[in-house]
Coordinates of all heavy atoms in Angstrom, one line a residue:
Chain B
G22 N -69.8 51.3 4.7 CA -71.1 51.9 4.6 C -72.3 51.0 4.7 O -72.1 49.9 5.2
E23 N -73.4 51.5 4.3 CA -74.6 50.8 4.5 C -74.7 49.5 3.8 O -74.3 49.4 2.6 CB -75.8 51.8 4.0 CG -77.2 51.2 4.3 CD -78.2 52.2 3.9 OE1 -78.0 53.5 4.0 OE2 -79.3 51.8 3.3
A24 N -75.4 48.5 4.4 CA -75.5 47.2 3.8 C -76.8 47.1 3.0 O -77.7 48.0 3.2 CB -75.5 46.1 4.9
H25 N -77.0 46.1 2.2 CA -78.2 45.8 1.5 C -78.7 46.9 0.6 O -79.9 47.1 0.4 CB -79.3 45.4 2.5 CG -78.9 44.3 3.4 ND1 -78.6 43.0 2.9 CD2 -78.8 44.2 4.7 CE1 -78.3 42.2 3.9 NE2 -78.4 42.9 5.0
L26 N -77.8 47.7 0.0 CA -78.2 48.6 -1.0 C -78.6 47.9 -2.3 O -77.9 46.9 -2.7 CB -77.0 49.6 -1.4 CG -76.6 50.6 -0.3 CD1 -75.4 51.4 -0.8 CD2 -77.8 51.5 0.0
K27 N -79.7 48.3 -2.9 CA -80.1 47.7 -4.2 C -79.7 48.7 -5.3 O -80.0 49.8 -5.3 CB -81.6 47.5 -4.2 CG -82.1 46.8 -5.5 CD -83.6 46.6 -5.4 CE -84.1 46.1 -6.7 NZ -84.2 47.2 -7.7
R28 N -78.8 48.2 -6.2 CA -78.3 49.0 -7.2 C -79.4 49.4 -8.2 O -80.2 48.6 -8.6 CB -77.2 48.3 -8.0 CG -76.5 49.2 -9.0 CD -75.3 48.5 -9.6 NE -74.6 49.4 -10.5 CZ -75.0 49.6 -11.8 NH1 -76.0 48.9 -12.3 NH2 -74.3 50.5 -12.5
E29 N -79.5 50.7 -8.5 CA -80.4 51.2 -9.6 C -79.5 51.6 -10.7 O -78.7 52.5 -10.6 CB -81.2 52.4 -9.0 CG -82.0 52.0 -7.8 CD -83.2 51.1 -8.1 OE1 -83.6 51.0 -9.3 OE2 -83.8 50.5 -7.2
G30 N -79.7 51.1 -11.9 CA -78.9 51.4 -13.0 C -79.7 52.1 -14.1 O -80.7 52.8 -13.8
P31 N -79.2 52.0 -15.3 CA -79.9 52.7 -16.4 C -81.3 52.2 -16.5 O -81.6 51.0 -16.3 CB -79.1 52.2 -17.7 CG -77.8 51.8 -17.1 CD -78.0 51.3 -15.8
G32 N -82.2 53.1 -16.8 CA -83.6 52.7 -16.9 C -84.4 52.9 -15.6 O -85.6 52.8 -15.6
S33 N -83.7 53.1 -14.5 CA -84.4 53.4 -13.2 C -84.9 54.8 -13.2 O -84.4 55.7 -14.0 CB -83.5 53.1 -12.0 OG -82.4 54.0 -12.1
T34 N -85.8 55.1 -12.3 CA -86.4 56.5 -12.2 C -85.3 57.3 -11.5 O -84.5 56.8 -10.8 CB -87.7 56.5 -11.4 OG1 -87.4 56.1 -10.1 CG2 -88.7 55.6 -12.0
D35 N -85.4 58.6 -11.7 CA -84.5 59.5 -11.1 C -84.6 59.4 -9.5 O -83.5 59.5 -8.8 CB -84.8 61.0 -11.5 CG -84.2 61.3 -12.9 OD1 -83.6 60.4 -13.4 OD2 -84.5 62.4 -13.4
D36 N -85.8 59.2 -9.0 CA -85.9 59.1 -7.6 C -85.2 57.9 -7.0 O -84.6 58.0 -6.0 CB -87.4 59.1 -7.2 CG -88.1 60.4 -7.2 OD1 -87.3 61.4 -7.4 OD2 -89.3 60.5 -7.1
D37 N -85.4 56.8 -7.7 CA -84.8 55.5 -7.3 C -83.3 55.6 -7.4 O -82.5 55.2 -6.5 CB -85.2 54.3 -8.1 CG -86.6 53.9 -7.8 OD1 -87.1 54.3 -6.7 OD2 -87.3 53.2 -8.6
F38 N -82.8 56.3 -8.4 CA -81.4 56.4 -8.6 C -80.8 57.3 -7.5 O -79.7 57.1 -7.0 CB -81.0 57.0 -10.0 CG -79.6 56.9 -10.3 CD1 -78.9 55.7 -10.5 CD2 -78.8 58.1 -10.3 CE1 -77.6 55.6 -10.8 CE2 -77.4 58.0 -10.5 CZ -76.8 56.8 -10.8
E39 N -81.5 58.4 -7.2 CA -81.0 59.3 -6.2 C -80.9 58.6 -4.8 O -80.0 58.7 -4.1 CB -82.0 60.5 -6.0 CG -81.5 61.5 -5.0 CD -82.6 62.4 -4.5 OE1 -83.8 62.1 -4.6 OE2 -82.2 63.5 -4.0
D40 N -82.0 57.8 -4.6 CA -82.0 57.0 -3.3 C -80.9 56.1 -3.2 O -80.2 56.0 -2.2 CB -83.4 56.2 -3.3 CG -83.6 55.6 -2.0 OD1 -83.5 56.4 -1.0 OD2 -83.9 54.4 -1.9
Y41 N -80.6 55.4 -4.3 CA -79.5 54.4 -4.4 C -78.1 55.1 -4.2 O -77.2 54.7 -3.5 CB -79.5 53.6 -5.7 CG -78.2 53.1 -6.1 CD1 -77.6 52.0 -5.3 CD2 -77.5 53.5 -7.2 CE1 -76.4 51.5 -5.7 CE2 -76.3 53.0 -7.6 CZ -75.7 52.0 -6.8 OH -74.5 51.4 -7.1
L42 N -78.0 56.3 -4.9 CA -76.7 56.9 -4.9 C -76.4 57.8 -3.7 O -75.2 57.8 -3.2 CB -76.6 57.8 -6.2 CG -75.1 58.2 -6.6 CD1 -74.3 57.0 -6.9 CD2 -75.2 59.1 -7.8
F43 N -77.4 58.4 -3.2 CA -77.1 59.5 -2.1 C -77.8 59.2 -0.8 O -77.2 59.6 0.3 CB -77.6 60.8 -2.6 CG -76.9 61.3 -3.8 CD1 -77.5 61.5 -5.0 CD2 -75.5 61.6 -3.8 CE1 -76.9 62.0 -6.1 CE2 -74.8 62.0 -4.9 CZ -75.5 62.2 -6.1
L44 N -79.0 58.6 -0.8 CA -79.7 58.6 0.5 C -79.4 57.4 1.3 O -79.5 56.3 0.9 CB -81.2 58.7 0.2 CG -81.6 59.9 -0.7 CD1 -83.1 59.9 -0.9 CD2 -81.2 61.2 -0.1
R45 N -79.0 57.7 2.6 CA -78.5 56.6 3.4 C -79.3 56.6 4.8 O -79.7 57.7 5.2 CB -77.0 56.7 3.7 CG -76.2 56.5 2.5 CD -76.2 55.1 2.1 NE -75.4 54.9 0.9 CZ -75.8 54.9 -0.4 NH1 -77.1 55.1 -0.6 NH2 -75.1 54.7 -1.4
E46 N -79.4 55.4 5.3 CA -80.0 55.3 6.7 C -78.9 55.9 7.6 O -77.7 55.7 7.5 CB -80.2 53.9 7.1 CG -81.2 53.1 6.1 CD -82.6 53.6 6.3 OE1 -83.0 54.2 7.3 OE2 -83.3 53.5 5.3
N47 N -79.4 56.6 8.7 CA -78.5 57.1 9.7 C -79.1 57.0 11.0 O -79.4 58.0 11.7 CB -78.1 58.6 9.4 CG -77.0 59.1 10.3 OD1 -76.3 58.3 10.9 ND2 -77.0 60.4 10.5
P48 N -79.4 55.8 11.5 CA -80.2 55.6 12.6 C -79.4 55.7 14.0 O -78.2 55.5 14.0 CB -80.7 54.1 12.5 CG -79.6 53.5 11.8 CD -79.0 54.5 10.9
K49 N -80.2 56.1 15.0 CA -79.6 55.9 16.3 C -80.2 54.6 16.8 O -81.4 54.6 17.2 CB -80.1 57.1 17.2 CG -79.5 57.0 18.6 CD -80.0 58.2 19.4 CE -79.5 58.1 20.9 NZ -80.0 59.2 21.7
G50 N -79.5 53.5 16.7 CA -80.0 52.2 17.1 C -79.6 51.2 16.1 O -78.4 51.2 15.7
V51 N -80.5 50.3 15.8 CA -80.2 49.1 14.9 C -79.7 49.6 13.6 O -80.4 50.4 12.9 CB -81.4 48.2 14.8 CG1 -81.1 47.1 13.8 CG2 -81.8 47.7 16.1
H52 N -78.6 49.0 13.1 CA -78.0 49.4 11.8 C -77.4 48.2 11.2 O -76.9 47.3 11.9 CB -77.0 50.6 12.0 CG -76.7 51.3 10.8 ND1 -77.5 51.4 9.7 CD2 -75.5 51.9 10.4 CE1 -76.9 52.1 8.8 NE2 -75.7 52.4 9.1
F53 N -77.4 48.2 9.8 CA -76.7 47.2 9.1 C -75.6 47.8 8.2 O -75.9 48.7 7.5 CB -77.8 46.4 8.2 CG -78.8 45.8 9.0 CD1 -80.0 46.4 9.4 CD2 -78.7 44.4 9.4 CE1 -81.0 45.8 10.1 CE2 -79.7 43.8 10.2 CZ -80.8 44.5 10.5
E54 N -74.5 47.2 8.3 CA -73.3 47.8 7.6 C -72.5 46.8 6.9 O -72.5 45.6 7.2 CB -72.4 48.5 8.7 CG -72.9 49.7 9.3 CD -72.0 50.2 10.5 OE1 -71.4 49.3 11.2 OE2 -71.9 51.4 10.6
R55 N -71.7 47.3 5.9 CA -70.7 46.4 5.2 C -69.4 46.7 5.9 O -69.0 47.8 6.2 CB -70.6 46.8 3.8 CG -71.9 46.7 3.0 CD -71.8 47.5 1.6 NE -71.0 46.7 0.7 CZ -70.0 47.2 0.0 NH1 -69.7 48.5 0.0 NH2 -69.3 46.4 -0.8
W56 N -68.6 45.6 6.1 CA -67.3 45.7 6.6 C -66.4 44.8 5.8 O -66.8 43.8 5.3 CB -67.2 45.3 8.1 CG -67.8 46.3 9.0 CD1 -69.2 46.4 9.4 CD2 -67.1 47.4 9.7 NE1 -69.3 47.5 10.2 CE2 -68.1 48.1 10.4 CE3 -65.8 47.8 9.8 CZ2 -67.8 49.2 11.2 CZ3 -65.5 48.9 10.6 CH2 -66.5 49.6 11.3
R57 N -65.1 45.2 5.7 CA -64.2 44.4 5.0 C -63.0 44.0 6.0 O -62.5 44.9 6.7 CB -63.6 45.1 3.8 CG -62.6 44.3 3.0 CD -62.2 45.0 1.7 NE -61.3 44.1 1.0 CZ -60.1 44.4 0.7 NH1 -59.6 45.7 0.9 NH2 -59.3 43.6 0.1
H58 N -62.7 42.7 6.0 CA -61.6 42.2 6.9 C -60.3 42.5 6.2 O -59.7 41.6 5.7 CB -61.9 40.7 7.2 CG -61.0 40.3 8.3 ND1 -60.9 38.9 8.6 CD2 -60.2 40.9 9.2 CE1 -60.1 38.8 9.7 NE2 -59.6 40.0 10.0
V59 N -59.9 43.8 6.1 CA -58.9 44.2 5.2 C -57.5 43.7 5.6 O -56.7 43.4 4.7 CB -59.0 45.7 5.1 CG1 -58.6 46.4 6.3 CG2 -58.1 46.2 3.9
Y60 N -57.2 43.6 6.9 CA -55.9 43.1 7.3 C -55.9 41.6 7.4 O -54.9 41.0 7.8 CB -55.4 43.7 8.6 CG -54.8 45.1 8.3 CD1 -55.4 46.2 8.7 CD2 -53.5 45.2 7.8 CE1 -54.8 47.5 8.5 CE2 -52.9 46.4 7.6 CZ -53.5 47.5 8.0 OH -52.9 48.8 7.8
G61 N -57.1 40.9 7.2 CA -57.2 39.5 7.4 C -57.4 38.9 6.0 O -56.6 39.0 5.1
C62 N -58.6 38.2 5.8 CA -58.8 37.5 4.6 C -59.1 38.4 3.4 O -59.1 38.0 2.3 CB -60.0 36.5 4.8 SG -61.5 37.3 5.3
G63 N -59.5 39.7 3.7 CA -59.8 40.6 2.6 C -61.2 40.5 2.1 O -61.6 41.2 1.1
K64 N -62.0 39.7 2.8 CA -63.4 39.5 2.3 C -64.4 40.6 3.0 O -64.2 41.0 4.1 CB -63.9 38.1 2.7 CG -63.1 37.0 2.2 CD -63.1 36.9 0.7 CE -62.3 35.8 0.1 NZ -61.9 36.0 -1.3
W65 N -65.4 40.9 2.2 CA -66.5 41.7 2.7 C -67.5 40.8 3.5 O -67.8 39.7 3.1 CB -67.2 42.4 1.5 CG -66.5 43.5 0.9 CD1 -65.7 43.4 -0.2 CD2 -66.4 44.8 1.3 NE1 -65.2 44.6 -0.5 CE2 -65.6 45.5 0.4 CE3 -67.0 45.6 2.4 CZ2 -65.3 46.9 0.5 CZ3 -66.7 46.9 2.5 CH2 -65.9 47.6 1.5
F66 N -68.0 41.4 4.6 CA -69.1 40.7 5.2 C -70.1 41.8 5.8 O -69.8 43.0 5.7 CB -68.6 39.8 6.4 CG -67.9 40.5 7.5 CD1 -68.5 41.0 8.6 CD2 -66.5 40.6 7.4 CE1 -67.8 41.6 9.6 CE2 -65.8 41.3 8.4 CZ -66.5 41.8 9.5
L67 N -71.2 41.4 6.3 CA -72.2 42.4 6.8 C -72.3 42.2 8.3 O -72.2 41.1 8.8 CB -73.5 42.1 6.1 CG -73.5 42.2 4.6 CD1 -74.9 42.0 4.0 CD2 -72.9 43.5 4.0
A68 N -72.6 43.3 8.9 CA -72.8 43.3 10.4 C -74.0 44.0 10.8 O -74.4 45.0 10.2 CB -71.6 44.0 11.0
A69 N -74.7 43.5 11.8 CA -75.8 44.1 12.4 C -75.4 44.6 13.8 O -74.9 43.8 14.6 CB -77.0 43.2 12.5
R70 N -75.6 45.9 14.0 CA -75.1 46.4 15.3 C -76.0 47.6 15.7 O -76.8 48.1 15.0 CB -73.7 46.8 15.3 CG -73.3 48.0 14.4 CD -71.8 48.3 14.5 NE -71.5 49.5 13.7 CZ -71.3 50.7 14.3 NH1 -71.4 50.8 15.6 NH2 -71.1 51.7 13.6
C71 N -75.8 48.1 17.0 CA -76.5 49.2 17.5 C -75.6 50.4 17.5 O -74.5 50.4 18.1 CB -77.0 48.9 18.9 SG -77.9 50.3 19.6
T72 N -75.9 51.5 16.8 CA -75.0 52.6 16.7 C -75.0 53.4 18.0 O -74.1 54.2 18.3 CB -75.5 53.6 15.6 OG1 -76.8 54.0 15.9 CG2 -75.4 53.0 14.2
N73 N -76.0 53.1 18.9 CA -76.2 53.8 20.1 C -75.2 53.3 21.2 O -74.6 54.0 21.9 CB -77.6 53.8 20.6 CG -77.9 54.8 21.6 OD1 -77.2 55.8 21.8 ND2 -79.0 54.6 22.3
T74 N -75.2 51.9 21.3 CA -74.5 51.3 22.4 C -73.3 50.5 21.9 O -72.5 50.0 22.7 CB -75.4 50.2 23.1 OG1 -75.7 49.2 22.1 CG2 -76.7 50.9 23.6
L75 N -73.1 50.4 20.6 CA -72.0 49.7 19.9 C -72.2 48.1 20.1 O -71.3 47.4 19.8 CB -70.6 50.1 20.4 CG -70.2 51.5 20.0 CD1 -68.7 51.6 20.3 CD2 -70.4 51.7 18.5
E76 N -73.4 47.7 20.6 CA -73.6 46.3 20.8 C -73.7 45.7 19.4 O -74.3 46.2 18.5 CB -75.0 46.1 21.5 CG -75.3 44.6 21.6 CD -76.6 44.3 22.4 OE1 -77.3 45.3 22.8 OE2 -76.9 43.1 22.6
V77 N -73.0 44.5 19.2 CA -73.1 43.8 17.9 C -74.1 42.7 18.0 O -74.0 41.8 18.9 CB -71.7 43.3 17.5 CG1 -71.7 42.5 16.2 CG2 -70.7 44.5 17.4
F78 N -75.0 42.7 17.1 CA -76.0 41.6 17.1 C -75.5 40.3 16.4 O -75.9 39.2 16.6 CB -77.3 42.1 16.5 CG -77.9 43.3 17.2 CD1 -78.0 44.5 16.5 CD2 -78.2 43.2 18.5 CE1 -78.5 45.6 17.2 CE2 -78.7 44.4 19.2 CZ -78.9 45.6 18.5
G79 N -74.7 40.6 15.4 CA -74.2 39.5 14.6 C -73.6 39.9 13.3 O -73.8 41.0 12.9
T80 N -72.8 39.0 12.7 CA -72.2 39.3 11.4 C -72.6 38.1 10.5 O -72.9 37.0 10.9 CB -70.7 39.3 11.4 OG1 -70.2 38.2 12.0 CG2 -70.2 40.5 12.2
Y81 N -72.7 38.4 9.2 CA -73.1 37.3 8.2 C -72.6 37.6 6.9 O -72.0 38.6 6.6 CB -74.7 37.2 8.2 CG -75.4 38.6 8.0 CD1 -75.9 38.9 6.8 CD2 -75.6 39.4 9.1 CE1 -76.5 40.1 6.6 CE2 -76.2 40.7 8.9 CZ -76.7 41.0 7.7 OH -77.3 42.2 7.5
S82 N -72.8 36.6 6.0 CA -72.2 36.6 4.7 C -72.7 37.9 3.9 O -73.9 38.3 4.0 CB -72.6 35.4 3.9 OG -72.5 35.5 2.5
A83 N -71.8 38.4 3.0 CA -72.2 39.5 2.2 C -73.1 39.1 1.0 O -73.7 39.9 0.3 CB -71.0 40.2 1.7
Q84 N -73.1 37.7 0.8 CA -73.9 37.2 -0.4 C -75.4 37.0 0.0 O -76.0 36.0 -0.2 CB -73.3 35.9 -0.9 CG -72.1 36.1 -1.8 CD -70.9 36.6 -1.0 OE1 -70.6 36.0 0.1 NE2 -70.1 37.6 -1.5

Side-chain angles (χ1 to χ4, degrees):
Chain B
E23 185 178 323
H25 302 303
L26 288 177
K27 181 177 172 288
R28 185 174 184 276
E29 300 290 343
S33 61
T34 66
D35 284 355
D36 280 351
D37 284 345
F38 189 72
E39 182 199 21
D40 192 48
Y41 157 66
L42 198 59
F43 298 115
L44 304 183
R45 293 290 178 266
E46 301 292 333
N47 185 22
K49 180 181 179 183
V51 175
H52 195 29
F53 297 88
E54 290 172 325
R55 302 165 74 225
W56 286 87
R57 183 172 178 237
H58 194 190
V59 67
Y60 278 106
C62 60
K64 302 294 178 199
W65 286 96
F66 62 91
L67 305 181
R70 67 180 186 99
C71 177
T72 58
N73 197 19
T74 63
L75 293 190
E76 179 178 4
V77 177
F78 303 117
T80 54
Y81 50 99
S82 163
Q84 281 72 44

